[in-house]
Amino acid sequence: MTAALRVAIAEDSAILRDGLVQLLVDRGFAVTGAVAEPAALRSSVAQNPPDVAVIDIRMPPTFTDEGLRLALELRAKHEGLGILLFSQYIETRYAADLLADDAAGIGYLLKDRVADVSDFVEALERVAIGGTALDPEVVTQLIGATRRSDTLSVLTAREREVLALMAEGRSNGAIAHALVISEGAVEKHVANIFAKLDLPVSDQDHRRVLAVLRFLES
Amino acid sequence: MTLVTEDGEAPTHPEQHTQQSEHKAVSLGITEEQVVKLKELAQRILHEPFTRRPWTELAFWMVSGVLGAVSLAVIAATLIVGIWLIITFVGLIIIAFSLRMARGFGRWQRTLAHNFLGETVEEPNAFVRRPGFFGWLQSALRDRVAWRSVAYFAVKVPWTVLGAYVAFSLWWDAITGLLSPIFWHGNGGPAMWGLAQGIFVSNGYGDGHGFGHNVGVFLLGVIFFFAASWVMRGFVTVDKLLIRTLLGPDPVAARVRSLEQARTTTVDASAATLRRIERDLHDGTQAQLVALAMRLGMAKEKLDDTEHVDIDRVRELVDEAHRGAKEAITELRDIARGIHPPALDIGLEGALATLAARSAVPTELNFDLRARPTPAIEAIAYYCVAELLANVAQHAQASRATVSCAQQGTWLRLVVRDDGRGGARLSTIGSTSSGLSGLTERVRAVDGHLQLVSPPGGPTVVTVDLPLSA
């Protein structure tokens, strides 16, 4: 990595905040701010703009969806700022709000994912450079709730796996790595999926995510 | 003579003694007080026919009676038609309409009672209509208020007829009796009607002659005249009772409503408790475990890098993870204790003693409970003491506290007292649902009371009354 990615953290649990800082510094990130509530992150981002902000959804004062609202606000104000929402449970509606118009530079992960440090760091990097990182849980819920399950049933089991990983925001290379197949095979599966579901083909990962999510939500 | 009371104490005031014995002496006959009362009663009886009351009652009797009879006729007719047609389903609709009318007729009777008699009867529960036509039909058919109105009219109308018969016969006979010296000079008796006719005429009253007989008839008229208004009163009183019980609020419905309220409080209180537990788990244990997993994940990755293992860093991470795991265990135990204190398994006394011993402020416990409360009450009592002692430690700046738990009949009374600075208020001590207001809700959910007395400068006394069983 040439220049260290700059990360700001808003997390009200001190234990987790400290742990995250430790982890990120350990992995060579530059932490521009680690704060406990929305207002502090707002000023931290304004003073010392990061590449990506890690935001807990439940924060003071009401402990409901402060983080989500803060994320939408920061996104509108700071173009190109990556947002990784961090939560202890998954609300599919939050994902829908967040991805309403664009999936570029958006992440939504369960806090548990930090246990797999590499995956977490990879997701954070992806979001920082304008990619997408959706928690597998979000994707599972979306697939489970979709009214297009009859259409999905035309996919093979392998194609469904690829679809889920695509929805998480992973690149072909990462999908190939996760499924232990060649990248060429992944490309073939992706082409098949897009053809079967009649989706517009896109080479950019986050556009691809949006297309898949739109399909699942409709 | 010395008078000794049952306790064996000599009376302190001798005058008292003499007064008592005098009182005793006159009470053998008729006291002056009673004479006064009798006079008042006699005056009242004599005045009664010349006051407004018997006449408004009579007017009420006639108006409400006619209206009641018409109402009953309409209700009965529609109900009978409805039952007749019940097989065709139209019958049910007719019955429903009939019941809706019965409700309205009942309201008229309440209004009449209010206007004529000044008898204010509370409105029964409003008609709750469920959505849709079938909802309406079902609600109307199952409307307890309407059915009670039907019952009212079924009882009221015969009662009115009887009352009217008795009252009118009394008035008629009173007037004929009173006027007998003018119109009937020994030419047979005056035209008796109604009750008096039944009683007296068959006994040969009509055949009587002579002065004595005429005086008797006249006196009978006098008695009837004064008795009539009281008899009327009796009938009206019974009708008022009927209106109150059958047209007023349904006692069953009132009980249901109060139970519903209690249930709402209980449900709210338990929802608040669940929310508190969720928050504790979310902010405490879950965050601890995530941080723990994260540290172990980092350690694992460092170990995977076989070429260059930074063993000191790994040890550090494992140390931190180990510490985090122990903290998570402690937090989980605290949360579990918040859900159900294991100390209660050995009984309330032991649990409260533990709380008193653990309190940061030296605390004395007085426990005097003969019956064991139900588990729900024990738990509430325990949380009250726990919360109150925590408040004492946090806010009161007290040097001592006492907790007393005593039985008063079927109630348990908890008193927590401290010698701190006072000035506590329900809104200031205890933060949100977990604080004292939360306690108040819990206490209210079982019909208990919580009272706080805390003048500035102290001492602060919180009294909690709980039923022994709930």
Side-chain angles (χ1 to χ4, degrees), chain A residues 19 22 26-27 58 88 118, chain B residues 282 286 294-295 301-302:
Chain A
Q22 205 181 357
D26 198 71
R27 293 301 289 251
R58 237 161 89 154
Q88 262 168 11
S118 294
Chain B
H282 178 273
Q286 219 176 340
M294 185 178 71
R295 296 222 157 82
E301 293 215 330
K302 295 216 176 297

Side-chain angles (χ1 to χ4, degrees), chain B residues 91-142:
Chain B
L92 282 178
I93 300 173
I94 294 173
I95 293 173
F97 269 113
S98 177
L99 287 168
R100 297 292 296 124
M101 283 193 293
R103 213 181 216 274
F105 293 150
R107 187 175 312 121
W108 289 354
Q109 291 290 334
R110 271 199 312 277
T111 312
L112 286 179
H114 178 75
N115 292 344
F116 279 91
L117 309 174
E119 175 80 8
T120 312
V121 177
E122 252 183 84
E123 287 271 321
N125 310 354
F127 178 63
V128 182
R129 184 205 157 136
R130 268 182 266 165
F133 171 73
F134 286 98
W136 173 82
L137 189 65
Q138 210 184 5
S139 315
L141 290 175
R142 295 172 61 175

Side-chain angles (χ1 to χ4, degrees), chain A residues 13-41:
Chain A
S13 160
I15 306 165
L16 261 181
R17 193 171 60 237
D18 295 348
L20 269 177
V21 172
Q22 205 181 357
L23 180 147
L24 292 175
V25 170
D26 198 71
R27 293 301 289 251
F29 289 87
V31 176
T32 61
V35 298
E37 40 103 28
L41 184 70

Side-chain angles (χ1 to χ4, degrees), chain B residues 325-349:
Chain B
K326 286 196 287 191
E327 279 169 21
I329 291 167
T330 313
E331 277 188 9
L332 259 185
R333 189 171 47 226
D334 286 347
I335 292 167
R337 187 155 54 206
I339 299 168
H340 174 79
L344 272 179
D345 294 342
I346 54 166
L348 188 57
E349 182 169 13

Side-chain angles (χ1 to χ4, degrees), chain A residues 92-182:
Chain A
T92 309
R93 190 179 57 80
Y94 288 169
D97 283 359
L98 208 59
L99 300 168
D101 40 37
D102 190 3
I106 288 288
Y108 184 18
L109 289 184
L110 273 178
K111 287 186 181 175
D112 316 9
R113 304 301 170 202
V114 291
D116 294 315
V117 181
S118 294
D119 280 358
F120 174 71
V121 166
E122 192 194 298
L124 188 63
E125 283 168 354
R126 211 156 68 215
V127 172
I129 58 168
T132 310
L134 281 189
D135 198 278
E137 188 72 18
V138 177
V139 176
T140 311
Q141 284 188 11
L142 283 172
I143 290 178
T146 186
R147 279 169 294 175
R148 309 282 284 268
S149 49
D150 48 336
T151 321
L152 280 186
S153 63
V154 302
L155 302 180
T156 65
R158 183 58 105 186
E159 283 165 354
R160 271 202 291 274
E161 280 176 331
V162 173
L163 177 86
L165 289 168
M166 236 172 16
E168 287 175 25
R170 294 186 193 233
S171 64
N172 284 356
I175 295 172
H177 183 73
L179 297 179
V180 203
I181 51 176
S182 73

